[in-house]
Amino acid sequence: MKIDWDRRTCARRGHATYAPDEPGLRDRLRAATSLGEAWRCLRCGDFVLGEPHGAGPAEEAPLVPRGKVLRDLFILRFLAIERAVRGVFIVLVAAAVWRFSNSQDSVRRLFDEYLNVFRPVFRHFHYDLDHSPVVGTIQKSFGYKHSTLVLVAALLLAYALIELVEAGGLWYAKRWAEYLTVVATAAFLPLEIYELTEHVSWLKIATLVLNILAVLYIALAKRLFGLRGGRAAFDEERQSASLLEVEESAGVAAHA
């Protein structure tokens, strides 16, 4: 089912009407009804009763996102939420590593105590905790130096900061955030592929696929790095999506 992004947005945010000073264009955007004056919404094209939200020359009319632009904004905000959730999770992991680095010995003693308690229970279910990969990884981490753990926490915090900055920029559809997202995400793709060679899981596969699709979509849809005409073609496409621009062009064509 095709989504009407224009009416969907107007239903949530309200209509966007504008009264241009040019008489011909003003007449096409205005309608007289028995209930009063109505103006055509620049986003969805429906006529709305009441005074227009703005007025002035057509060239000063607000550039109202429509159609494909709204769809792209929805996708960008979905990616922004995913980046924000990931960033917060990594901050929590960094905080846990930091706290662990300052109380390594006590955590090791506590872990060994719980391991001794649960070892007979898992043995009853024919699972050997002493040869568990998870337990082995945790025990290996106890041998890391304090400085190494602090470095890991700092790197995780830096990565989380990048994710949160991406999230904020993508939410407001900033072009610099789109470049940052493509570059940062593409830079970590080799690491994600390497992790899959070590251990395959559905979560890792889903994350890798999502990141590849995000890189391709943003780079192509937003015409980054000169793709599909670059910034000039992107700005032209966005301006051509304005209903007021379409109405003005139609008037010029009719006059000619």
Side-chain angles (χ1 to χ4, degrees):
M1 183 176 63
K2 185 178 180 180
I3 299 177
D4 191 335
W5 294 99
D6 299 331
R7 286 186 170 83
R8 178 180 178 275
T9 303
C10 284
R12 292 190 300 109
R13 301 181 184 176
H15 296 283
T17 54
Y18 187 81
D21 293 340
E22 294 79 359
L25 188 56
R26 184 185 184 93
D27 292 340
R28 284 198 304 279
L29 295 180
R30 177 183 175 277
T33 70
S34 58
L35 298 177
E37 192 176 54
W39 291 89
R40 194 176 183 187
C41 176
L42 299 180
R43 182 182 296 114
C44 68
D46 292 340
F47 280 92
V48 184
L49 289 171
E51 294 294 324
H53 297 141
E59 61 183 12
E60 296 181 7
L63 186 61
V64 181
R66 301 181 68 244
K68 181 176 177 293
V69 177
L70 291 174
R71 183 201 65 189
D72 292 344
L73 183 60
F74 176 83
I75 295 175
L76 286 179
R77 290 191 168 178
F78 170 79
L79 293 174
I81 293 173
E82 185 266 338
R83 259 47 179 187
V85 172
R86 187 190 302 182
V88 171
F89 176 75
I90 296 174
V91 168
L92 295 177
V93 173
V97 173
W98 172 263
R99 294 195 63 180
F100 172 72
S101 69
N102 293 321
S103 54
Q104 213 167 337
D105 293 335
S106 59
V107 172
R108 178 187 301 185
R109 288 194 296 270
L110 184 63
F111 178 80
D112 290 338
E113 291 176 5
Y114 277 103
L115 189 63
N116 292 329
V117 171
F118 285 105
R119 186 179 284 111
V121 177
F122 278 86
R123 187 177 298 146
H124 177 74
F125 292 99
H126 306 287
Y127 187 85
D128 188 3
L129 284 179
D130 293 325
H131 294 86
S132 170
V134 176
V135 173
T137 301
I138 295 175
Q139 289 176 333
K140 187 185 298 184
S141 67
F142 291 136
Y144 294 154
K145 295 180 180 179
H146 173 75
S147 58
T148 302
L149 293 174
V150 171
L151 178 60
V152 170
L155 292 176
L156 286 173
L157 197 59
Y159 180 49
L161 180 61
I162 293 175
E163 293 289 294
L164 294 174
V165 170
E166 285 181 24
L170 289 177
W171 184 266
Y172 293 103
K174 299 298 184 181
R175 196 163 179 84
W176 59 262
E178 295 164 0
Y179 274 103
L180 177 61
T181 300
V182 170
V183 172
T185 305
F188 283 98
L189 289 180
L191 179 60
E192 294 179 8
I193 295 173
Y194 173 76
E195 288 181 350
L196 278 176
T197 62
E198 295 291 320
H199 177 69
V200 178
S201 69
W202 287 111
L203 179 60
K204 290 181 179 180
I205 294 175
T207 302
L208 177 62
V209 171
L210 178 62
N211 286 335
I212 291 176
L213 291 177
V215 169
L216 293 177
Y217 173 79
I218 296 176
L220 293 174
K222 297 300 182 177
R223 304 173 188 265
L224 304 181
F225 306 103
L227 296 175
R228 300 176 59 221
R231 180 61 183 267
F234 173 76
D235 291 338
E236 182 180 354
E237 179 185 44
R238 182 170 181 181
Q239 289 188 2
S240 65
S242 171
L243 179 61
L244 193 56
E245 292 283 342
V246 174
E247 286 289 323
E248 190 173 20
S249 299
V252 171
H255 179 71

